[in-house]
Every structure is written in C-alpha cells, then in structure tokens.
Amino acid sequence: MAEFDLTTMLGQYLDRHLVFPLLEFLTVKRLYDEKEMLRGKLELLSNTNMVDFAMDVHRTLYPDQQVPVTLKDKRQEVVNQLKTLQAKTQSITEIFEVPEVQRQIQTSRDGRQLYDFLSKEHGFKHEMINTLYDYAQFQYKCGNYSGAAEFLYFVKVLTPPSDRNFLNACWGKLASEILMQNWDVALDDLNKVKDLIDNSTYTSDLMTLQQRTWVIHWSLFVYFNHPKGRDLIIDQFLYTPTYLNAIQTTCPHVLRYLTTAVITNKARRRAVLKDLVKVIQQESYTYKDPITEFVQCLYVDFDFDGAQKKLRECETVLFNDFFLVACLEDFIENARLLIFETFCRIHECISINMLAEKLNMSPDDAEKWIVNLIRNARLDAKIDSKLGHVVMGTQAVSPYQQVIEKTKNLSFKSQMLALNIEKKLGNRGGQENQWAGQE
C-alpha cells in the first residue's frame, strides 16, 4: 500500500547511504515499479564512490546497453584517489599500530593528553587529523563503513569539540555504526550527537531545529533495533519538549513511530497513552495515518467499529514499513488488547461473538484469547460458556493510584515551562550537519 509509504518524507532527513536499506526493503515488498526503484538507486549512487554497485544497477536497468564511459572513468578516478589517500595515511596508521601507542590510547583519559603524547613521541601534527578525516569520508563514500568508523573514532578522540569537523565526524561515525548494525555503539554515538546539539551555543534556533530533525530520523534505526529502544523513543519523542516541538514543527509523520512504540510497550503504555492521545489530537490536522487514527478512534471517538477497521489497515501499513515490520505481530496483539480493555470499561457483560467481531477474530479464537488473558492475571473476568458471555469484575482505583495519575504530568509541564524560559533567553549563532553535505 504505497499510499502510506513514508520513504520519500524520511529520505529528506537521512544521509543517502542510510536510504539504501529502505530502497532495498521497498524492492522486496514490490510497492513500486522495479525499474522506478532501480532508477532511484542509480540516482542515489551518483554522488558516492560505490561505482561497481552503480555499474551493476545500470546493467540490470539497461541490459541491452553498455556501461557508460563516465562510470568507467569515475571508477579509475576513485581507484587513483584511494591510492593517493592510502599513501598519505600510511605513516599515520603506522603510528597507531605501535604497541606503546595502542596502550596509550586505551589509558588516556582525554584526547588532549593523547594528542600531546603522539606529538611529543611520534611527531604527530594537526594536519594529520584532517588527513584522517578525509580518508574516513572517502572510505564511507566507497561503502567501507567499518574502515570509516575506525578512522572517525581517532578523529573524534583527537579533535577538540570546537573544531568544525568534530560534529561532522560524530555524524559520520553514527551513520557507519548504523549501517554495520552495531546498535550498542550506535546508541552511544547517537547520544553524543544529541548532547552536542543540545549544548551548542553557536547555532541559531533554526539550525538547531534542523539538526534535531535529523537526529529524530536517524534515531529510528537505533530505537527500533536496540533492546531499550521502545523506552528511549518515548522518553525522547514524547517527554523531551525540544524534540516533541521538532516533531510537531517539521516532521509530524514521526508520530507513526512514536505511536507504535507506545502501543507495543506493555510496561509503560498505560502511563503514557493519555499524553500520546493529546499530541495525536493536536496534530491530526497536519498528519494522520491508520496507526494514529486507530488511537483516535479508540480513545477520542470511542468508535470501536472504526478502530477495528483501522486495525486491519494498520496491519498493511506495518507490513510495508521498513522500521515497523518487525513489530507487526506485537502491535496487532497489543492493539487487540487495547480495544478489549476499552470496551470492557464501558460494559460489564459482553458477548464473545461481539468481541470476536470487534477484534477481527473468530469466536473460538476470541474465547481462547480471553481465557489466556484471565489465566495470566491480566484480566479480572469470568466466562459464562452457556450464554457465551464475558462477565467483568469490578476494579476500584486505589487512592495511591489516583495521586499518581494526578501528579505524573508535573515533570513534563515543568520541562515545558523551562523550555519557554530558555527560548526567551537563548543565544543565536550558526553551525550545521555537514557530513552528508560534503558528499
């Protein structure tokens, strides 16, 4: 269902190398014409050094044509440039391979201490850092992400945060770790980039907003693959005012991913749903899809037939979404539970046949599903098999829970107040994410 595909929107805020996995996914799903996808890949490859890959795509797209001379010439140019950069960095890599230097790298507490050691003992110069940066970026453009990550690590360690290449190196390192699927390291790099952006005093408000928008989109790779991701995405997207503001201002389509994370987060779902519903309502005029509309049908309109219809559409949306396809079964299971819980709050005695219809299940499957809920102590109810009814138990809300419910939003409101004060007192300046722009 291409109508709900967000690849074009997401691609605006991703490095071109990060778009390749999304295009490969769409190719497998066959949402678009195969030749159209190949042309898209060829366009993306045009500004990279992955010439062999571009030649393969060209042969597939135009099997009756010869590979263009421009691609052959570019390949030779890339090979020559690689040899030149290898010659320049050979003396630097030899320094890093010295056992004494490796021990110093492991024991040094900060980059300045390591730089002073290398400068004094091995004649290391500041220009060598720029050479390493250029070589790392060249390796990245060639698709050698492990080589890029290795050299960018040294660039980050040896470069002061005030250097113009420091933030770009952090972006490049993050992209490399994402593409190698090193999710723990990628999470550390993501947090580093976030801290640099949030603590910068040299960027304008507009530039900071753009940087945060990039962080939001790049973080989807990490959050939907890291074990702690579904907690972290809620903390960052829903309860960090600066990032919630960025989503509402520049990319409300990210609400699809926040909503999915909330629905599939069994531990925190009940506590955060109210805040999520509020945001979805506020942004419903700028963005909606079956996933956000499912929540609106269920918690705003209490339209159970509408929620059931949207749930069927959600299944298609998740199946065709690169980030969410792995959540499909988890989402459907939890969404059914939400429909059931909400329906049960309104009715004391419910027909199993009616429930089966609302949950898009057969009556037998619905009864088994409810029995499992009761057995796992997730539902206070009894089943009357003769009448085919579920009889709900009564649950009184404890005073403690009432206090928690009334006070849980205080922290969020305090953050919003602090943010508004910061906006009035904030500084202005200028710096941006240039890692992708230098390609």
Side-chain angles (χ1 to χ4, degrees):
M1 191 181 286
E3 125 182 57
F4 296 116
D5 177 42
L6 294 180
T7 304
T8 304
M9 289 185 182
L10 300 174
Q12 299 175 53
Y13 305 103
L14 296 175
D15 177 87
R16 65 179 59 234
H17 290 256
L18 294 176
V19 178
F20 284 121
L22 276 66
L23 292 187
E24 291 293 340
F25 176 81
L26 291 179
T27 301
V28 172
K29 295 297 181 182
R30 298 183 178 179
L31 285 183
Y32 299 97
D33 178 70
E34 184 180 358
K35 288 190 175 181
E36 184 182 345
M37 296 302 301
L38 289 169
R39 279 192 286 268
K41 288 180 185 177
L42 206 55
E43 173 63 27
L44 273 179
L45 288 164
S46 64
N47 203 25
T48 73
N49 292 336
M50 296 190 288
V51 188
D52 290 338
F53 187 12
M55 287 180 172
D56 290 339
V57 172
H58 189 278
R59 290 190 191 100
T60 307
L61 183 58
Y62 306 109
D64 55 342
Q65 296 182 18
Q66 292 289 323
V67 173
V69 177
T70 52
L71 280 178
K72 295 179 179 178
D73 291 343
K74 184 176 180 179
R75 188 182 191 282
Q76 188 57 49
E77 182 184 327
V78 168
V79 171
N80 293 336
Q81 194 175 355
L82 175 61
K83 290 178 180 177
T84 302
L85 285 170
Q86 283 177 333
K88 284 184 178 181
T89 55
Q90 184 176 354
S91 59
I92 305 173
T93 55
E94 286 175 354
I95 292 174
F96 290 137
E97 289 171 359
V98 174
E100 182 188 3
V101 173
Q102 292 182 350
R103 284 194 298 272
Q104 189 68 27
I105 290 172
Q106 293 173 358
T107 57
S108 294
R109 295 190 175 184
D110 58 59
R112 188 66 203 176
Q113 181 184 355
L114 177 61
Y115 180 85
D116 291 342
F117 168 78
L118 292 174
S119 178
K120 181 180 178 181
E121 301 295 332
H122 297 277
F124 193 86
K125 299 177 182 178
H126 189 271
E127 308 89 76
M128 292 180 173
I129 301 176
N130 295 330
T131 303
L132 278 178
Y133 178 83
D134 293 339
Y135 188 48
Q137 193 170 58
F138 182 84
Q139 292 284 2
Y140 182 85
K141 288 182 179 181
C142 290
N144 180 10
Y145 306 121
S146 61
E150 181 182 356
F151 289 114
L152 286 172
Y153 168 77
F154 290 116
V155 172
K156 282 176 57 183
V157 170
L158 295 170
T159 305
S162 57
D163 190 285
R164 63 182 297 274
N165 281 338
F166 184 77
L167 181 57
N168 294 332
C170 291
W171 279 108
K173 176 74 160 48
L174 171 59
S176 299
E177 299 296 351
I178 287 173
L179 289 162
M180 291 190 293
Q181 300 181 25
N182 295 333
W183 303 121
D184 287 332
V185 182
L187 180 59
D188 291 339
D189 288 336
L190 176 66
N191 290 331
K192 179 66 175 177
V193 170
K194 281 168 49 185
D195 289 343
L196 287 169
I197 294 169
D198 293 341
N199 296 323
S200 174
T201 57
Y202 302 103
T203 55
S204 66
D205 290 344
L206 177 60
M207 200 64 67
T208 300
L209 177 63
Q210 291 173 342
Q211 293 274 15
R212 287 192 178 121
T213 305
W214 278 63
V215 167
I216 287 166
H217 287 79
W218 290 37
S219 69
L220 294 175
F221 288 94
V222 182
Y223 290 154
F224 282 101
N225 286 284
H226 195 278
K228 298 180 180 177
R230 295 185 199 180
D231 280 327
L232 296 171
I233 196 172
I234 293 171
D235 292 335
Q236 182 180 338
F237 291 2
L238 187 59
Y239 290 117
T240 305
T242 50
Y243 283 92
L244 177 58
N245 177 61
I247 290 170
Q248 292 175 310
T249 305
T250 62
C251 51
H253 54 269
V254 173
L255 287 176
R256 169 186 294 186
Y257 303 101
L258 173 59
T259 304
T260 302
V262 170
I263 288 175
T264 56
N265 192 317
K266 297 174 184 177
R268 298 182 61 185
R269 179 174 59 221
R270 194 180 300 275
V272 303
L273 259 173
K274 190 183 294 184
D275 298 323
L276 174 67
V277 171
K278 193 182 301 180
V279 174
I280 288 175
Q281 277 187 279
Q282 290 172 350
E283 300 306 315
S284 60
Y285 67 96
T286 58
Y287 178 78
K288 60 176 67 175
D289 66 22
I291 295 176
T292 61
E293 287 179 310
F294 168 77
V295 172
Q296 191 152 358
C297 283
L298 195 55
Y299 291 103
V300 179
D301 304 329
F302 295 99
D303 178 3
F304 295 100
D305 291 333
Q308 177 197 354
K309 180 183 175 184
K310 292 301 174 185
L311 182 56
R312 283 196 293 268
E313 293 178 11
C314 286
E315 192 167 351
T316 305
V317 172
L318 270 75
F319 183 73
N320 293 310
D321 189 294
F322 173 82
F323 295 105
L324 303 182
V325 65
C327 305
L328 177 56
E329 291 185 9
D330 203 12
F331 181 93
I332 299 300
E333 172 71 15
N334 284 282
R336 281 175 175 163
L337 184 59
L338 291 177
I339 293 175
F340 183 69
E341 287 177 345
T342 307
F343 199 76
C344 291
R345 287 196 199 107
I346 303 172
H347 305 85
E348 292 182 0
C349 184
I350 310 161
S351 164
I352 291 177
N353 287 336
M354 183 190 294
L355 269 178
E357 184 183 339
K358 302 295 182 191
L359 299 173
N360 196 26
M361 301 169 76
S362 69
D364 288 342
D365 288 340
E367 185 171 351
K368 290 175 186 175
W369 187 73
I370 295 165
V371 168
N372 286 331
L373 286 179
I374 296 171
R375 282 178 179 167
N376 296 329
R378 294 167 66 187
L379 178 65
D380 181 15
K382 294 178 181 179
I383 292 180
D384 187 333
S385 298
K386 288 184 179 180
L387 297 175
H389 288 167
V390 179
V391 181
M392 302 303 301
T394 56
Q395 292 183 333
V397 181
S398 71
Y400 304 105
Q401 187 62 35
Q402 291 180 38
V403 171
I404 291 170
E405 287 292 325
K406 290 181 182 295
T407 59
K408 68 179 181 180
N409 291 328
L410 288 178
S411 174
F412 177 65
K413 290 177 180 176
S414 300
Q415 284 182 317
M416 289 297 292
L417 181 61
L419 175 65
N420 290 331
I421 295 172
E422 282 179 16
K423 279 185 178 178
K424 293 180 180 178
L425 303 176
N427 298 321
R428 294 176 178 271
Q431 186 181 3
E432 58 179 313
N433 171 15
Q434 297 173 354
W435 173 257
Q438 291 177 3
E439 292 188 3

